Amino acid sequence: MPELNFTKSKDGLLPAIAQDAASGDVLMLAYINEESWQKTLETGKAHYWSRSRNKLWLKGESSGHVQIVKEILVDCDQDTVIFKVEQLGGAACHKAMPAVSFAG
């Protein structure tokens, strides 16, 4: 597994995109720090850093909507990840937002 460069961010947080491994749908954007990265690698469940609560956050710890990580992609700068996940227990977010379409 490639190393991530947490020093590129002033607060040590890197963007982590959760993507449905089966459909390819983007589920959410969250942030990871070194601790959440290590917990994700150790457990196979998506862990993030909650900026609002200022603490480690296992996705689904209160809702039961756990994300099982199937694959991790790291960008070439090693400062952004995509977690391809199996979303268990329902939606990744509390409420669905409408999509915006552009004619082209």
Side-chain angles (χ1 to χ4, degrees):
M1 179 58 56
E3 292 294 317
L4 295 181
N5 189 346
F6 290 96
T7 63
K8 286 191 171 185
S9 168
K10 292 178 187 173
D11 56 8
L13 298 176
L14 301 179
I17 299 163
Q19 180 181 30
D20 187 284
S23 70
D25 291 346
V26 172
L27 302 175
M28 58 182 271
L29 168 70
Y31 293 89
I32 59 171
N33 63 5
E34 289 186 65
E35 181 183 14
S36 56
W37 172 244
Q38 289 303 318
K39 289 295 276 186
T40 298
L41 296 177
E42 289 169 16
T43 67
K45 296 178 182 175
H47 286 73
Y48 301 102
W49 182 257
S50 172
R51 295 180 302 163
S52 61
R53 293 176 275 172
N54 200 35
K55 70 173 198 152
L56 182 69
W57 164 41
L58 166 63
K59 177 65 180 127
E61 66 188 344
S62 60
S63 68
H65 300 177
V66 177
Q67 294 175 342
I68 305 300
V69 178
K70 300 297 185 178
E71 184 179 6
I72 299 173
L73 304 174
V74 178
D75 79 334
C76 60
D77 293 326
Q78 297 176 303
D79 63 358
T80 303
V81 300
I82 297 175
F83 292 156
K84 291 192 173 192
V85 302
E86 178 183 357
Q87 180 69 54
L88 302 178
C93 292
H94 299 292
K95 72 178 197 178
M97 299 300 292
V100 177
S101 299
F102 295 91

